[in-house]
Amino acid sequence: MFDDDGYLRGVSAQQFPPGSLRHRLGRVLDHPRTPKVLAGATLAASTGLVLARGNRRVQIAAAAVIGACNRLSEIRTPYGRDGADQMTAVITQYRTITALIADERVSDDIFLRAVNFQAGLSYAVSGISKAFGSSWVQGDALPEVLRTEAYGRGPAAELLRRHPRLCRALTIGTVAWEAAFPLVYTLPRRQASHALSAVKLFHAGVAATMELPRFVWGFVGSHGAVGYVLDTRGERRSFEKSVIGIAGGVTLASALIAREKRKIAEQRRLGPKGVSRLRGDIGVVEYVVNRPQEGPDRSGPVIVLECGLGQSLDSWEWVAEGLARDYTVIRYHRSGYGLTKSRASSGDLIGAILDEVRADGEIVVVTHSIGSLSAASYVRDPRFAHRVRALVVVDGTDPDLLKADRSDRRRFGAFVQAQVHTLFAAVTGIHEWAPNAVERQAGYTPDTQYSHVQFVFSPRNVINSIREYRGVHTEGVLADLAAVKSVLVIASGENAKQQSVFAEKLGADFEVVEGSAHRSIIGYRNHAEKVEGAIRRFLHEG
């Protein structure tokens, strides 16, 4: 396993040039015997840690050795690490760092409170993460783990497999108690001790079932720090209160900054960006019209751009800018998105906008992602059917696949989990300080990029995207789309195979924008220009 061809072989030397000092040191660290040496040193230090009860200096030295061995093992190979290794590393590193504080009482107090904070955070975050995973909340995770060769070989695992209801209950129960772990700090001391004893039994059960005894030592070792904090809850100032206060203040400030930026983005859309709001019987609709510079041709073709799930009308910037040289281009926000307060259907919104701008010509509908399903709701509407000249689907949503995803608990759970993460980032403003997929797959002009990112990370829009995903109709969509006289499917490079099947179902022409992804196909200018070119060729040939 530790040999050069084994799963846990050393890989640290690979990142340095051959012959360099770091490479030579890496070769020593990568040697198959090194793990045994590190394990021996860890065992010796652990023994010293146990025997040196009351000897603070020896305990700190032993913790430093264990932490160093753990770190060297992590550098040697990134594989095989688990939560127990990480918790052990945290405890030993905290002990080593706090030893630098001269006052022993202060040093020990900060160490114990830091370990306690890490323990509470580890349990709570683990539970909350599991709560967002469909396999955990539906009780399927533990049965699946026990079916693996690595964790399902023991007699306890075999016993649980014979009792699926118990296994499912334990799965859901794990999510519940881990997420609720912080409540232990509100319990009376005696009840809190009982709760910690139950957690110890949980780790012992995991050790017996999955043969993971390290979790007992890794996590139960932190319970002493939890007990220390429970015994000192009456103190006015503590490490935990300081950390929570600072974290809460930073989060609140971040959330307020994000909220103000969203307001600024809305004001910019209504100001210099030329977005309009239609106020009529159906409610308020946000839209923008781009026309050729030589003046509007009310009888000429009108291109209607349908946005993807949770995406802003700004996402079409490059495509709209190019097409508007020769066509009237309309972009709008569907029901519930942006400043569109109306709950009317997409067909009603489009009809109102066309009447407002007095566009009487043929209609070309261009959709992105789930926008294809929105278009299906009106392309055969008697108000538009005779006017719809062509349909262009850019990396569109196949209704058959969406129906399958929504009916599959795992896939639907994964979607909701992703949206909840986005919602959390939106509410707290974390997206302002950390890289995100929206910015990575879009390269608009700075003002548009700013507006688009703020739109995607608007809590209201995130919630609306979940509503739309759940509620958009899939029945009869293929027939409605295929009924359009001319249909073109333009696929991103990453979804080319899937989109080719979709194109066959629609009897549509098919093109691929190589190197593009689902968002970047219209988010990067070079990809968007290829989309525009494909649309122009399609309309010219049609």
Side-chain angles (χ1 to χ4, degrees):
M1 184 165 57
F2 295 110
D3 292 335
D4 291 341
D5 58 349
Y7 177 67
L8 296 181
R9 65 187 180 277
V11 295
S12 62
Q14 297 179 4
Q15 55 185 315
F16 303 115
S20 65
L21 177 60
R22 290 187 175 183
H23 184 270
R24 290 195 295 270
L25 293 174
R27 291 290 298 169
V28 174
L29 189 60
D30 293 345
H31 195 279
R33 294 179 182 174
T34 301
K36 298 178 181 179
V37 174
L38 294 176
T42 299
L43 180 60
S46 300
T47 303
L49 194 64
V50 173
L51 297 178
R53 185 176 180 85
N55 190 325
R56 186 170 178 275
R57 291 184 178 180
V58 174
Q59 288 184 334
I60 291 174
V65 172
I66 296 171
C69 291
N70 196 303
R71 179 57 182 158
L72 288 172
S73 297
E74 186 177 348
I75 294 173
R76 183 184 183 277
T77 174
Y79 312 114
R81 317 297 294 171
D82 55 32
D85 293 317
Q86 294 167 3
M87 180 58 77
T88 300
V90 165
I91 293 174
T92 54
Q93 289 168 11
Y94 282 175
R95 177 71 282 186
T96 305
I97 293 172
T98 55
L100 300 175
I101 301 175
D103 189 315
E104 292 186 8
R105 188 189 66 80
V106 175
S107 172
D108 293 344
D109 180 75
I110 292 179
F111 164 65
L112 291 170
R113 293 185 182 280
V115 171
N116 162 75
F117 189 81
Q118 185 67 48
L121 189 65
S122 298
Y123 285 127
V125 170
S126 177
I128 293 172
S129 298
K130 289 183 176 71
F132 291 146
S134 59
S135 63
W136 280 97
V137 296
Q138 293 165 6
D140 298 330
L142 184 55
E144 290 176 352
V145 171
L146 296 181
R147 283 196 291 268
T148 64
E149 183 178 351
Y151 299 116
R153 295 180 297 178
E158 177 61 29
L159 177 65
L160 285 176
R161 282 198 297 269
R162 291 200 300 266
H163 298 82
R165 289 186 179 179
L166 174 60
C167 201
R168 188 178 298 273
L170 290 173
T171 304
I172 299 174
T174 298
V175 178
W177 81 255
E178 285 187 339
F181 183 84
L183 295 178
V184 74
Y185 301 105
T186 66
L187 298 175
R189 186 63 176 90
R190 186 175 181 180
Q191 283 72 22
S193 296
H194 293 332
L196 289 176
S197 297
V199 175
K200 291 180 176 66
L201 288 176
F202 167 81
H203 287 300
V206 170
T209 304
M210 301 182 187
E211 300 179 346
L212 291 172
R214 291 181 301 174
F215 276 76
V216 176
W217 310 117
F219 284 91
V220 172
S222 67
H223 288 188
V226 177
Y228 171 80
V229 170
L230 290 172
D231 291 332
T232 57
R233 281 182 288 187
E235 295 186 6
R236 294 183 59 187
R237 295 182 180 180
S238 66
F239 174 82
E240 294 83 9
K241 292 177 182 177
S242 299
V243 171
I244 292 174
I246 294 172
V250 171
T251 302
L252 178 60
S254 177
L256 292 175
I257 291 172
R259 182 170 176 267
E260 289 303 311
K261 286 189 173 183
R262 288 193 293 270
K263 289 182 178 180
I264 293 173
E266 289 184 352
Q267 292 170 358
R268 286 183 178 179
R269 288 208 309 273
L270 292 172
K273 296 186 71 62
V275 174
S276 302
R277 279 187 291 185
L278 185 157
R279 292 180 171 87
D281 295 337
I282 62 172
V284 179
V285 185
E286 183 180 12
Y287 71 97
V288 63
V289 179
N290 302 104
R291 303 180 188 271
Q293 291 184 353
E294 59 268 19
D297 180 4
R298 292 173 183 167
S299 62
V302 179
I303 296 180
V304 175
L305 301 178
E306 286 280 354
C307 300
L309 185 71
Q311 302 298 294
S312 72
L313 54 80
D314 286 319
S315 64
W316 283 110
E317 179 187 46
W318 300 126
V319 176
E321 179 185 276
L323 292 175
R325 290 193 294 268
D326 302 293
Y327 304 96
T328 295
V329 180
I330 295 175
R331 293 173 278 166
Y332 76 108
H333 285 145
R334 291 191 293 274
S335 173
Y337 284 117
L339 298 174
T340 297
K341 309 300 182 183
S342 173
R343 287 298 177 183
S345 67
S346 296
D348 289 340
L349 299 181
I350 290 296
I353 295 171
L354 291 174
D355 289 343
E356 178 73 12
V357 302
R358 299 180 181 180
D360 304 321
E362 292 181 317
I363 300 172
V364 177
V365 181
V366 181
T367 74
H368 178 234
S369 189
I370 209 170
S372 58
L373 306 190
S374 174
S377 68
Y378 62 81
V379 290
R380 295 181 71 179
D381 188 306
R383 294 173 293 176
F384 310 110
H386 65 287
R387 295 179 58 185
V388 176
R389 168 185 167 186
L391 169 68
V392 179
V393 177
V394 181
D395 231 32
T397 298
D398 186 329
D400 291 339
L401 295 181
L402 177 60
K403 184 178 180 180
D405 286 347
R406 291 194 303 199
S407 61
D408 185 280
R409 295 182 304 171
R410 295 288 184 80
R411 297 177 196 169
F412 183 71
F415 167 78
V416 173
Q417 180 180 7
Q419 293 303 306
V420 171
H421 286 169
T422 303
L423 182 61
F424 176 78
V427 171
T428 60
I430 290 177
H431 67 281
E432 297 287 350
W433 323 110
N436 59 75
V438 177
E439 290 183 297
R440 287 196 299 269
Q441 292 195 17
Y444 303 109
T445 56
D447 187 54
T448 299
Q449 184 88 340
Y450 176 91
S451 177
H452 178 62
V453 171
Q454 297 306 321
F455 183 96
V456 173
F457 284 100
S458 164
R460 178 172 176 266
N461 293 331
V462 176
I463 294 172
N464 197 63
S465 68
I466 299 175
R467 179 193 63 81
E468 184 176 40
Y469 181 89
R470 293 182 59 185
V472 66
H473 293 294
T474 57
E475 298 298 330
V477 165
L478 288 174
D480 290 336
L481 295 178
V484 179
K485 181 172 60 176
S486 300
V487 184
L488 168 67
V489 172
I490 305 175
S492 66
E494 68 173 354
N495 293 323
K497 185 175 180 180
Q498 178 195 95
Q499 291 294 295
S500 67
V501 175
F502 190 24
E504 289 180 9
K505 293 179 181 179
L506 298 177
D509 294 343
F510 181 67
E511 289 197 30
V512 179
V513 177
E514 298 292 349
S516 64
H518 185 62
R519 288 194 185 99
S520 71
I521 191 171
I522 60 173
Y524 288 164
R525 185 164 195 162
N526 59 324
H527 297 330
E529 287 176 347
K530 294 178 182 178
V531 171
E532 179 203 342
I535 294 172
R536 287 181 175 277
R537 288 193 301 273
F538 180 64
L539 296 180
H540 178 72
E541 293 169 1

